[in-house]
Amino acid sequence: MKAWLRGFYYSFPIQLVFLHIRKYQVLLLFWLVLFATVNGSFMKTFGADSLFLAPEYLGNVNSLSAAIVGASIGMFIMSWNIASFILFSRHFRFLAATTNPFLKYCINNAIIPGIFLLFYFIKAYQFAHFKELIPSTEILFLFGGFTAGLIFLLAASMIYFFRADRSILRKMMPVISNPKSYITHLGTVKEIYHGAPLMKVEWYFESPIRLKPVRDVSHYTDEFVESIFKRHHFAAILSVFAAFLFLICIGFLLDSAFFQLPAAASITIFFSILIGVAGAITYFLQSWSIPYLVGLILLLNLFYKFDWIDPRNKAYGLNYWNKNERPSYTREGLQALCSNENIEADKQNMYSILNTWKKKQDSENPLLVLINTSGGGHRSATFTMSVLQHLDSLTNGSIFKKTFLINGASGGMIGAAYFRELFLRRQQGQPINLQDKQYVENIAGDLLNPLFTSFFARDLISPAQKFSVGSYQYVKDRGYAFEQQLNSNTNGFLNKQLKDYVADEKAANIPLMFFNSVVTRDSRKMIICTQPVRFMMRAPQDTMNIPAVDPDAIDFTTFFARQDPFNIRMLTALRMNATFPVVLPNVWLPSNPVIDVMDAGLRDNFGQETTIRFLISMEDWIKENTSGVLLIQIRDRTAGAWEAPYLSEDISDHATKPFLLLQHNWFKMMEFFQNDMLNYYATRSGSPVYKVAFQYSTDKEENKAALNFHLTKREEKDIVSSINSLSNQKSFQRVLGLFKPGLATDTLKAE
């Protein structure tokens, strides 16, 4: 037993695991990321686990998509073997005396990959069965596809290295045929020092099923051993370079759906390149590797400062090239923009639209309806679409006729914009059934896979590719990929420009929409609307008694009046409104100095702050012309801030809580403040103010849909069915009661 334990401990596979842990732990970080992602511990909020466990290709989760991911995992395994082989080879000199040393190294280095694959299959089954609702028989086909892809890549790699070994053997024959050149005691006597070995090995797997004792190679010269390993290193590096070229090609061909690999595959291939490059840099540059990387970063920064490279994302349709006509983003510039004269002019324009809207209502003093929809990625977009469909059905199509303004953030605005476009097309005579459940399927369609694929295959790897909007050219990146996929998911209905909505909003044929984003420079709000809204740049003030305050918002179209603001794509306006940090790139704008914007949810995730300012600005007209205000709030979380409390589950939380408290409770503090604002407005307003909230909720917090741009089948089903909750049914009843007092409400339940 003792001898067996000793043999086990000093076996090559076990010693390799210890070597990985003792040396170059950086390489293990890649495995840690993969394990954590598959487990749902890393970037679960972004839906990263679904990318690996239920990969999509051409819009489907099937054996082909699984095979592609399997092949990419195989590539990662080989790249990890290559990098560690390059770095560790000097510690296992005995392999130099064997045939196919790299392949034998891969066999013995299979413990960590084997554990990962077993863990992956367990998690993939659970995810596919319980979240994607895939039958067990279909899951077997998924596993079969994954395994086939994995085996194919590993087999192709083995064939490559078998051929490389034969080539190396041919080149080494002149050396091998002369023993004096590589056997120490046959050559010139000189002092030999091999150094203390970092690992002791007594047994190794010559094949997956055959153990063999380690051969003593101390009689071989260091030069001979090193020459053998160097030739294998070169062959291995060539394979990493091939993966790099492959990802570049994919980046160039991403406009074709056929080449839009599952995001998990793109991520894994990118990891493969990174780990291979890390090994190569360390091998060739040795101690100079870190100074080299620092120098490379400094060089890239220099190129950026001189505008030789420009990775910044732009608002597609906007003019960035008339640099001498850029607006001044200064206190004086913003104050001049929202002068009293400009504010009054924009108010009069808005009054005229309100009057037009009033003429289309069925009463002398109609109820003014405003809709606020919260951010929340796909779960908010899908829930918003479901709520609007049901409201339209209950009110016999009058909900949007009575709605004047839609405002909000991120995913909720995407769902609302899609429904508004469908409403407009039906008005124009197109055969559209607004209650068609296919529209819910469309808006719930995956956006995460093309986004991540573009990030790794195009943004980081491939040279810049350009496309045109009118006469202006822009670089394709993950922002472009997001817009293209959203356009595809919505049947091209949102492929418009801001100017295409001006006439219909002016004529009150459709509700106005405020697309908000936040300026990262100072947290001011950027408001995109077809109509001038400079009165929204600051709250109404009593400057006789209170000092004037600086504007805290910017009217996009008037501020960028010389940059063709109405040419901006509607898809871009939606993306600017939904620019979740890191996932989507910040959009930089051509002002002086340059500013960039990101997700509206950073300042007003529920849309209520902006709506209240609009109501205050239009207060006089509302008193004279309406019977009150109905504020419909569609939110992706329950009200009251009871959801997801910040609990201390382990001792580390006591250290991190002071720093993460604000981040965790950001939306809750926003809700508290906005409720105070609304209550204050309602008490001072001269007309009634009603608020009806629809909220997505689940029985358990862990079952709630993730905050990302991808939904599992179970999550989608859960979101749609949540409109039937008791609280939401009461809200539907409340809206219907305000629209048609006395109407029976026993048929409110959604199908």
Side-chain angles (χ1 to χ4, degrees):
M1 183 66 178
K2 185 177 180 180
W4 186 90
L5 290 174
R6 174 186 172 87
F8 176 80
Y9 182 79
Y10 288 114
S11 65
F12 195 25
I14 300 300
Q15 288 296 309
L16 274 176
V17 173
F18 292 152
L19 185 61
H20 286 303
I21 297 172
R22 293 171 62 185
K23 301 282 289 184
Y24 303 108
Q25 295 89 348
V26 173
L27 298 183
L28 290 179
L29 288 178
F30 291 92
W31 281 113
L32 180 62
V33 170
L34 287 181
F35 270 102
T37 302
V38 171
N39 190 49
S41 306
F42 179 70
M43 295 186 73
K44 181 179 177 63
T45 305
F46 300 148
D49 56 340
S50 65
L51 299 179
F52 282 84
L53 301 177
E56 287 191 16
Y57 178 62
L58 299 177
N60 297 308
V61 179
N62 51 31
S63 56
L64 179 57
S65 64
I68 296 173
V69 174
S72 70
I73 295 292
M75 184 179 295
F76 175 79
I77 292 172
M78 293 305 301
S79 183
W80 179 68
N81 281 326
I82 289 168
S84 57
F85 179 76
I86 291 173
L87 296 173
F88 296 164
S89 58
R90 66 181 183 274
H91 302 301
F92 36 81
R93 295 165 52 90
F94 68 91
L95 284 183
T98 67
T99 57
N100 305 314
F102 177 69
L103 298 181
K104 288 182 173 60
Y105 173 80
C106 292
I107 294 171
N108 288 270
N109 198 37
I111 289 181
I112 294 176
I115 294 173
F116 172 78
L117 291 173
L118 178 62
F119 181 73
Y120 176 87
F121 281 125
I122 294 172
K123 287 292 183 178
Y125 176 82
Q126 294 173 344
F127 192 92
H129 185 68
F130 295 108
K131 292 191 175 182
E132 288 291 347
L133 308 179
I134 300 175
S136 297
T137 53
E138 294 185 22
I139 295 176
L140 291 177
F141 282 102
L142 293 179
F143 284 5
F146 180 94
T147 305
L150 176 70
I151 293 175
F152 170 79
L153 195 288
L154 294 179
S157 301
M158 296 303 167
I159 293 172
Y160 166 77
F161 283 107
F162 268 124
R163 295 184 63 182
D165 282 334
R166 287 198 296 267
S167 176
I168 292 169
L169 182 62
R170 287 196 299 270
K171 293 179 179 179
M172 293 294 296
M173 282 304 299
V175 178
I176 297 173
S177 60
N178 182 17
K180 293 183 179 181
S181 65
Y182 65 93
I183 299 180
T184 56
H185 66 271
L186 297 179
T188 305
V189 178
K190 62 180 180 178
E191 186 177 355
I192 305 294
Y193 177 72
H194 297 298
L198 189 63
M199 57 187 292
K200 180 180 179 180
V201 179
E202 296 180 355
W203 300 89
Y204 73 99
F205 280 97
E206 187 183 36
S207 71
I209 59 174
R210 182 184 177 188
L211 276 170
K212 191 174 181 179
V214 170
R215 179 181 173 186
D216 182 20
V217 292
S218 59
H219 57 288
Y220 287 168
T221 65
D222 288 342
E223 291 80 4
F224 176 73
V225 174
E226 190 68 21
S227 65
I228 292 177
F229 281 139
K230 278 186 176 181
R231 294 177 186 274
H232 285 278
H233 295 167
F234 183 74
I237 290 171
L238 284 180
S239 66
V240 176
F241 184 69
F244 178 74
L245 291 179
F246 173 77
L247 206 56
I248 288 179
C249 293
I250 291 295
F252 272 107
L253 300 170
L254 272 181
D255 286 340
S256 171
F258 180 81
F259 293 99
Q260 293 175 7
L261 302 180
S266 300
I267 295 170
T268 311
I269 294 172
F270 182 71
F271 279 8
S272 304
I273 295 170
L274 278 185
I275 204 169
V277 170
I281 289 176
T282 303
Y283 175 74
F284 285 112
L285 299 179
Q286 301 294 324
S287 61
W288 286 95
S289 56
I290 293 180
Y292 171 81
L293 291 176
V294 172
L296 180 62
I297 293 172
L298 292 175
L299 184 63
L300 291 173
N301 190 55
L302 186 65
F303 287 172
Y304 175 75
K305 284 187 175 182
F306 284 98
D307 286 333
W308 293 343
I309 59 173
D310 187 4
R312 297 175 295 186
N313 180 269
K314 298 179 176 67
Y316 305 142
L318 206 60
N319 183 355
Y320 286 78
W321 291 268
N322 56 344
K323 296 183 179 181
N324 296 327
E325 298 180 340
R326 290 181 176 179
S328 174
Y329 192 84
T330 60
R331 170 183 289 176
E332 294 75 20
L334 295 184
Q335 287 178 338
L337 189 65
C338 63
S339 64
N340 292 333
E341 293 80 9
N342 290 338
I343 288 176
E344 186 60 30
D346 290 358
K347 277 188 174 182
Q348 292 301 320
N349 178 70
M350 190 60 64
Y351 291 153
S352 70
I353 301 175
L354 282 165
N355 287 327
T356 303
W357 169 85
K358 181 183 176 182
K359 293 177 182 177
K360 296 187 176 186
Q361 305 307 307
D362 53 8
S363 66
E364 183 64 26
N365 291 299
L367 187 68
L368 181 66
V369 180
L370 297 95
I371 296 176
N372 289 341
T373 179
S374 75
H378 256 28
R379 73 186 188 197
S380 186
T382 305
F383 184 64
T384 297
M385 173 63 73
S386 299
V387 170
L388 292 177
Q389 280 189 328
H390 198 48
L391 281 172
D392 182 79
S393 175
L394 291 175
T395 61
N396 295 321
S398 65
I399 180 64
F400 259 32
K401 294 179 181 178
K402 294 180 179 294
T403 301
F404 182 79
L405 173 67
I406 302 174
N407 178 60
S410 193
M413 289 295 286
I414 294 176
Y418 185 39
F419 188 86
R420 187 183 73 157
E421 178 61 29
L422 294 170
F423 175 80
L424 175 61
R425 289 175 181 260
R426 190 181 66 171
Q427 282 191 318
Q428 295 171 343
Q430 297 187 27
I432 289 178
N433 176 16
L434 289 178
Q435 281 71 54
D436 192 337
K437 298 305 178 184
Q438 182 59 48
Y439 299 132
V440 176
E441 294 284 336
N442 293 346
I443 205 66
D446 175 66
L447 292 175
L448 205 59
N449 270 281
L451 197 156
F452 271 93
T453 299
S454 178
F455 179 67
F456 289 102
R458 179 181 276 158
D459 296 28
L460 298 178
I461 299 294
S462 296
Q465 305 164 58
K466 295 186 177 181
F467 73 104
S468 297
V469 177
S471 58
Y472 306 132
Q473 283 192 331
Y474 309 91
V475 175
K476 296 178 181 178
D477 59 7
R478 65 187 186 279
Y480 171 81
F482 177 89
E483 292 187 20
Q484 294 303 101
Q485 188 61 48
L486 177 59
N487 184 52
S488 176
N489 291 353
T490 55
N491 300 318
F493 285 4
L494 294 174
N495 190 22
K496 292 184 171 182
Q497 294 174 288
L498 194 64
K499 61 185 178 185
D500 296 325
Y501 290 97
V502 173
D504 285 308
E505 290 191 11
K506 183 80 171 178
N509 294 328
I510 54 175
L512 269 74
M513 295 190 81
F514 287 168
F515 300 99
N516 307 294
S517 53
V518 176
V519 180
T520 61
R521 183 183 181 91
D522 49 28
S523 295
R524 284 182 168 82
K525 186 180 299 184
M526 184 70 68
I527 303 175
I528 300 178
C529 183
T530 63
Q531 306 300 317
V533 288
R534 285 170 288 189
F535 59 84
M536 294 292 297
M537 291 181 62
R538 64 185 181 195
Q541 299 174 260
D542 181 8
T543 54
M544 295 293 294
N545 300 302
I546 300 176
V549 297
D550 290 343
D552 64 347
I554 305 102
D555 178 19
F556 178 86
T557 56
T558 56
F559 185 68
F560 293 107
R562 298 184 178 182
Q563 281 68 44
D564 298 328
F566 291 97
N567 285 341
I568 189 173
R569 299 210 305 181
M570 179 58 55
L571 294 162
T572 299
L574 289 168
R575 176 169 61 87
M576 291 170 64
N577 193 83
T579 302
F580 199 88
V582 182
V583 176
L584 284 168
N586 288 10
V587 180
W588 78 278
L589 300 171
S591 59
N592 188 21
V594 168
I595 58 174
D596 64 293
V597 297
M598 59 192 302
D599 199 291
L602 291 174
R603 177 162 165 181
D604 186 10
N605 191 60
F606 305 106
Q608 193 164 283
E609 175 191 296
T610 304
T611 295
I612 293 173
R613 179 169 295 186
F614 176 84
L615 291 174
I616 295 174
S617 300
M618 300 292 109
E619 188 173 24
D620 293 339
W621 188 94
I622 293 172
K623 288 179 183 178
E624 296 176 7
N625 296 275
T626 72
S627 60
V629 174
L630 171 58
L631 182 60
I632 297 177
Q633 187 177 65
I634 306 173
R635 38 189 305 141
D636 74 321
R637 63 198 71 204
T638 56
W642 296 106
E643 196 173 84
Y646 196 4
L647 303 175
S648 297
E649 297 180 351
D650 51 59
I651 195 169
S652 63
D653 288 333
H654 293 283
T656 60
K657 180 178 282 189
F659 304 100
L660 301 178
L661 177 66
L662 179 63
Q663 176 185 347
H664 186 86
N665 292 320
W666 188 268
F667 295 145
K668 299 179 182 181
M669 293 186 292
M670 194 182 296
E671 181 179 351
F672 296 150
F673 170 69
Q674 293 187 2
N675 285 340
D676 283 346
M677 292 176 62
L678 182 61
N679 289 328
Y680 174 74
Y681 170 76
T683 55
R684 67 180 292 274
S685 171
S687 55
V689 179
Y690 310 96
K691 180 180 177 180
V692 179
F694 299 92
Q695 51 194 22
Y696 164 57
S697 61
T698 56
D699 55 346
K700 296 181 180 179
E701 183 63 26
E702 57 266 25
N703 295 333
K704 191 167 188 178
L707 182 63
N708 56 52
F709 292 113
H710 178 88
L711 294 175
T712 66
K713 292 300 182 183
R714 179 172 288 279
E715 288 173 341
E716 182 182 335
K717 184 179 180 180
D718 182 61
I719 292 170
V720 174
S721 64
S722 69
I723 67 173
N724 290 323
S725 69
L726 181 61
S727 64
N728 286 332
Q729 287 303 302
K730 289 181 178 179
S731 295
F732 283 123
Q733 181 174 344
R734 177 65 167 158
V735 172
L736 199 59
L738 290 168
F739 276 26
K740 300 177 181 180
L743 184 68
T745 57
D746 57 346
T747 60
L748 288 178
K749 190 166 184 170
E751 296 181 359

